[in-house]
Amino acid sequence: MAAVVQICESHLTEHFDFGTNFTNSSITDLLRDTAPSSFDTLYICKFRNLVDYCQNFEEIMTEEGLCFTFNTLNGSELFTEDLSPDYTRIDHNMSAIFWNLEDGYDTSFEIDPQTYPYRIFGSGQQFGLFVLLALYEQNLEYICRGPVQGFKIVLHTPGEVPQVSKHYFRVTLHQEVLVSVKPNMITTSEELRHYEPNRRQCYFASERKLRFLKVYTQRNCELECLANFTLQACGCVKFSMPRDKDTPICGAAKIACYNAAEDKLLKEQFTEGLTLEPGAERVKACNCLPACTSITYDAEISQGSFDWVSWFNAYSSPLDEFPGLQPARLSIFFKESQFIASKRMYGPTELYGPIDFLANCGGLLGLFMGASFLSIVELLYFVSLRLFCNLRSRMNRKKEIADSAGPGIVVVKPNSDDNEE
């Protein structure tokens, strides 16, 4: 109960007394043991019209408990060596050596359907991901997470750790949900790289390194910042937060503390410094700017009733093989085969480079004043170098006249009286 209550609504913990057990290192194992497995949750998985893709879903521990992720980077490419080995179990053998978030896929590499992360070559449902999800009536519970039963789905890039409680949409039971995805990609011109990140309002991949995550995204940065803040405020971190092997995991007695720490961080993250407790050290604000190349996904969702009983009967599948089955269907696909990327425009955007500035100024001067940059150069020449040369030549001529008279020669003016004598 002390483990499971940490994934329930926070107000429910007020009714329990968990004593003084402030840490619990076994909570992730307990949550894995009590959670349904992928075999019980994912019945049919079809990707690009090929079946048997359920084995490509990997377990990942989130703040909502155990989840299953598809097309995510493996642990060695997503997490650094500082991360505690018991944090996650993304250990598939697929490598993303030909892909990164900033540059995309390596164009020099031959297009292969098995390139990881898996690529989509067209739009429409037949090229997307189809999953038949299942819960069982005997496992439904209406207090911990409320009356709505079903699944939470998160769309994220392969190098991002999903945060289910913040960015999700629902797939309720006995429903078929179609998700038409439109990517929103924002890039940043290389000409802005010499600006400070706080001026251009984004980080290039080489500019901001995280301690536990190899791929910088705004959400990854926020997750790691929250973990650091929680550790200093509570002396431990929530089970879903990245941590090293020496960092304790908060037990149920610390639920109120890490919830309060998150609230305080959200209130004060825009200030210059964050004070944790009286006498505690101050930490800098997260400053989690967006990545200069970032991708988000807009989802258009439509749904309808899923008559699974008639569907099973049409396949002559006996219902008693699945007592208490409560299924749902999910299809995710791209809306269009192409999309237009946007270029980041907020912050100091270099509308005029040095060459553009000179060209525009020269054109305006020539149009309105009949002048050009050559005229400006000539003007500078006449008021500086030409004037200096003229003055110097004049001084040289005076000197030459004085020198031509010769030394010891006296010129006497004739006297008029002497002439008369």
Side-chain angles (χ1 to χ4, degrees), residues 122-138:
S123 59
Q125 188 174 1
Q126 69 272 22
F127 295 106
L129 176 68
F130 166 84
V131 184
L132 179 62
L133 302 164
L135 289 177
Y136 287 89
E137 187 174 359
Q138 58 268 28

Side-chain angles (χ1 to χ4, degrees), residues 232-247:
Q232 296 190 46
C234 304
C236 57
V237 297
K238 191 175 180 179
F239 67 90
S240 60
M241 296 177 181
R243 60 190 182 275
D244 58 30
K245 62 181 180 180
D246 298 323
T247 299

Side-chain angles (χ1 to χ4, degrees), residues 200-258:
R200 83 171 91 92
Q201 288 294 293
C202 70
Y203 286 114
F204 285 99
S206 59
E207 292 179 326
R208 182 74 184 269
K209 300 297 183 181
L210 302 177
R211 181 184 177 188
F212 299 114
L213 299 164
K214 292 183 177 180
V215 181
Y216 179 85
T217 67
Q218 188 175 29
R219 293 177 183 177
N220 282 353
C221 177
E222 291 171 348
L223 176 62
E224 187 166 302
C225 181
L226 177 60
N228 296 334
F229 189 81
T230 304
L231 177 61
Q232 296 190 46
C234 304
C236 57
V237 297
K238 191 175 180 179
F239 67 90
S240 60
M241 296 177 181
R243 60 190 182 275
D244 58 30
K245 62 181 180 180
D246 298 323
T247 299
I249 301 175
C250 294
K254 284 286 189 177
I255 292 178
C257 181
Y258 65 64

